[in-house]
Amino acid sequence: MGVAEEWEELEHKNSEQMSQLKRQVSSLTEALSKMTTNKAKGSSSSADCQTEGCDRPIDWYCRYCKGFICTRCSKKPCGDEAQHQSEDFEEMYKLCTNKYKEYLDGKNSAVSGLSQQQKRLQEELASDIKRMSEATPEQLASPEIIKITADLPRKQKLLQDISKQLNQAEAFQSVDIKSMSQQEFITVFDKLDFDGYVFAVTDLDRITLGEKCEVISDKKCYDLDVIPSGQILIGKKDGFDICDKNGKVLRSVKVNGFSITTVQYYKSKIYTLAKDYTKDSKKRKVMVFEMPNYTESASWSLPDFGYISMLAVNNDKVYVVDCDAKKVKVYSLTGKPISDFSHSGFIDPIYMSSCPPDGVLVTDWQTGLVYKINCMNDQLAWEFKVKEPRGVFCDKLGNIWVWARKSKELVLRSSDGKQTKSFSHPELLKTGVDFITGFSMSEGELWLAAYSKGVMRIEMNVAPAK
């Protein structure tokens, strides 16, 4: 492998790690800064209910208003006459503690990798500069030296970026986490925007699926997602359901005359793709619902398509497949057209999913390819082959799950793209599953939207690293 090829591989390898570190550290710094400011202003950090005039002990934490409240006050309205999204105070503290540990594990792994790459770049740059300084006038005109000279500015820029991210990541070590109260700890770590995503590469041999496949619902569904409270969103005909972690329907949001083929949580809103199921109709639209009362706050029409299609939201943009035009349309969060993403290989791009921190995934079942679009520049990041791919999902380890309809297997791709693994699950196949159109992950369980076969879940296990 030549110098230029090594450079391109190194640049690609670092891009997601640096982007993740930047987002995490920036978010963490902002949250800690706000907490410090509030403490300086004399904000209370006692273990009393924060409702004015109430001094009862804290029992609950509201995921919507971010308030610490007692049981009595939890029954009062939480803005706009909606109910509090209450989480047990002690359980919430444990959840945020686990999130912090995941953050540290991922950060330390990323920092270790970046440090090695920093050292390698420093050595390579020193070698390049030495070769240029020792070259004769004739050698300076050679293709090899010309290429080294051309690559030098880019390598120097990458080294600066890596060094900056390492400095920012290490700056967090000075924060005294142990001095925080439980309320302060929850306030900081519940506000982080990386939602627990840890992109340290996992050996796929450590990942196994439980033998049992539990059918949660036998009603047709198209997609599902998990919101921060742990509740499950399930897209179906005439709307979507909000369920608890056992699949019990807590609330249904009606969208009469439309099937919800995509449902995704993003920044306290629910983004859906609604397909008119009236006979011979091809009408589609995006519908946005405001939490916690699930009222419609925005909608806009899409190019017609007569079958299942999907959207994905990331980087404050909405990506929607325009199947007949063989492209992905890009909108603002309010529906303003931004651009179109086209690819010469597209034949039937249909299924989509968000791929945090900065991408969306698209599968094309005709070409047998899974694509990742980089949302920072709306360019193709990578692609890989799967036999007749359908539903697709990025888990919190950064691994990509794909349903391969032809082989009836769950295909798993590692976050760095260097490992793949396939699961043929006997109990899943016994249900007669044909299509899996959507995935999500909740508390170590893989949830599947299996179209006409309903909603299923399978336990996922990650063995400790050796």
Side-chain angles (χ1 to χ4, degrees):
M1 182 182 292
V3 173
E5 289 78 9
E6 288 183 355
W7 151 257
E8 290 174 0
E9 182 184 9
L10 180 62
E11 184 178 38
H12 176 74
K13 185 176 181 181
N14 282 321
S15 61
E16 286 193 351
Q17 281 188 321
M18 289 197 298
S19 177
Q20 180 206 16
L21 275 175
K22 183 176 180 181
R23 289 168 182 264
Q24 291 182 357
V25 174
S26 174
S27 174
L28 189 56
T29 302
E30 181 182 359
L32 287 167
S33 176
K34 288 180 179 178
M35 185 199 75
T36 303
T37 301
N38 290 336
K39 288 180 74 172
K41 291 180 179 179
S43 298
S44 174
S45 62
S46 67
D48 293 338
C49 176
Q50 293 181 340
T51 305
E52 186 175 356
C54 180
D55 58 1
R56 285 181 289 271
I58 295 172
D59 298 304
W60 304 96
Y61 172 71
C62 176
R63 297 297 291 262
Y64 183 68
C65 71
K66 310 299 182 185
F68 298 90
I69 50 181
C70 66
T71 297
R72 180 174 173 181
C73 293
S74 69
K75 299 174 182 178
K76 297 179 181 180
C78 172
D80 299 325
E81 301 302 316
Q83 292 183 337
H84 284 284
Q85 292 185 17
S86 299
E87 299 285 343
D88 181 89
F89 177 56
E90 295 296 335
E91 289 298 319
M92 191 65 198
Y93 179 69
K94 291 179 183 178
L95 178 67
C96 289
T97 300
N98 290 335
K99 182 183 283 191
Y100 170 58
K101 290 177 180 178
E102 285 184 350
Y103 165 78
L104 280 185
D105 289 343
K107 182 188 74 66
N108 290 337
S109 176
V111 166
S112 176
L114 288 173
S115 296
Q116 294 174 11
Q117 291 149 18
Q118 180 190 46
K119 181 179 178 181
R120 177 185 169 189
L121 259 181
Q122 289 170 335
E123 293 173 348
E124 188 173 310
L125 281 167
S127 175
D128 288 348
I129 293 171
K130 182 179 179 182
R131 291 181 66 184
M132 291 168 60
S133 66
E134 294 177 349
T136 64
E138 292 78 14
Q139 289 174 331
L140 287 174
S142 68
E144 183 180 6
I145 298 298
I146 289 173
K147 198 163 190 61
I148 289 175
T149 305
D151 280 341
L152 198 60
R154 292 194 298 167
K155 291 182 181 180
Q156 290 173 327
K157 177 64 167 57
L158 178 61
L159 181 60
Q160 291 173 358
D161 289 343
I162 290 176
S163 300
K164 181 178 179 181
Q165 298 308 320
L166 285 170
N167 290 337
Q168 289 180 342
E170 293 301 329
F172 174 63
Q173 299 292 352
S174 62
V175 177
D176 185 7
I177 297 295
K178 293 181 180 179
S179 68
M180 292 183 183
S181 67
Q182 287 183 311
Q183 298 98 294
E184 291 168 344
F185 196 89
I186 292 172
T187 298
V188 169
F189 288 94
D190 189 43
K191 286 182 179 179
L192 295 184
D193 64 5
F194 60 89
D195 294 329
Y197 284 86
V198 179
F199 290 116
V201 178
T202 304
D203 181 356
L204 297 191
D205 287 338
R206 293 170 52 201
I207 297 178
T208 58
L209 296 179
E211 294 182 1
K212 185 179 179 181
C213 176
E214 185 177 1
V215 178
I216 303 300
S217 169
D218 60 2
K219 296 180 180 178
K220 180 187 286 188
C221 69
Y222 300 92
D223 194 25
L224 40 76
D225 198 11
V226 179
I227 61 178
S229 65
Q231 295 171 344
I232 316 294
L233 304 174
I234 299 177
K236 59 174 190 172
K237 185 177 181 180
D238 288 321
F240 61 92
D241 290 336
I242 301 95
C243 305
D244 66 15
K245 62 183 180 181
N246 294 314
K248 179 183 177 181
V249 178
L250 305 175
R251 181 173 179 176
S252 294
V253 177
K254 295 294 184 181
V255 185
N256 293 326
F258 286 84
S259 293
I260 300 300
T261 61
T262 302
V263 57
Q264 183 187 334
Y265 171 87
Y266 184 78
K267 292 187 176 181
S268 298
K269 294 183 179 180
I270 309 300
Y271 290 79
T272 68
L273 195 157
K275 166 69 176 66
D276 185 344
Y277 60 70
T278 305
K279 185 178 180 180
D280 298 327
S281 175
K282 296 184 178 181
K283 294 188 180 299
R284 303 184 303 158
K285 63 180 178 179
V286 174
M287 300 181 70
V288 186
F289 298 85
E290 198 87 31
M291 293 181 67
N293 45 9
Y294 298 100
T295 55
E296 184 181 341
S297 60
S299 68
W300 63 91
S301 297
L302 299 171
D304 289 355
F305 186 66
Y307 305 97
I308 291 176
S309 58
M310 294 193 159
L311 63 74
V313 189
N314 206 340
N315 198 37
D316 290 343
K317 290 180 283 189
V318 181
Y319 295 77
V320 188
V321 287
D322 184 358
C323 309
D324 287 338
K326 298 177 174 32
K327 65 177 63 173
V328 175
K329 301 192 74 65
V330 187
Y331 299 90
S332 71
L333 295 180
T334 56
K336 180 180 178 181
I338 297 175
S339 63
D340 290 342
F341 174 86
S342 300
H343 188 275
S344 58
F346 277 172
I347 297 178
D348 268 312
I350 291 180
Y351 298 90
M352 294 194 75
S353 177
S354 177
C355 185
D358 57 6
V360 295
L361 303 170
V362 186
T363 68
D364 188 320
W365 68 274
Q366 288 266 38
T367 61
L369 287 169
V370 179
Y371 302 91
K372 178 186 174 182
I373 301 172
N374 185 335
C375 299
M376 306 301 288
N377 55 17
D378 290 337
Q379 299 293 317
L380 182 68
W382 49 252
E383 62 184 55
F384 77 101
K385 291 192 71 69
V386 174
K387 293 181 180 179
E388 203 174 311
R390 299 292 176 156
V392 62
F393 171 66
C394 176
D395 68 22
K396 290 185 180 297
L397 298 172
N399 301 313
I400 310 301
W401 294 81
V402 188
W403 174 245
R405 181 177 177 242
K406 188 172 183 178
S407 60
K408 297 292 190 294
E409 292 179 316
L410 293 165
V411 177
L412 181 60
R413 176 188 186 268
S414 63
S415 59
D416 63 354
K418 295 184 177 180
Q419 306 171 66
T420 57
K421 184 175 183 178
S422 297
F423 298 90
S424 181
H425 198 283
E427 293 302 313
L428 173 62
L429 297 181
K430 283 181 182 179
T431 66
V433 64
D434 190 15
F435 291 93
I436 291 179
T437 51
F439 293 84
S440 197
M441 190 79 71
S442 175
E443 298 183 0
E445 294 177 319
L446 189 64
W447 286 65
L448 311 173
Y451 191 50
S452 62
K453 299 300 180 180
V455 179
M456 304 174 189
R457 67 180 177 190
I458 301 172
E459 183 181 7
M460 187 190 84
N461 303 300
V462 181
K466 294 181 180 179

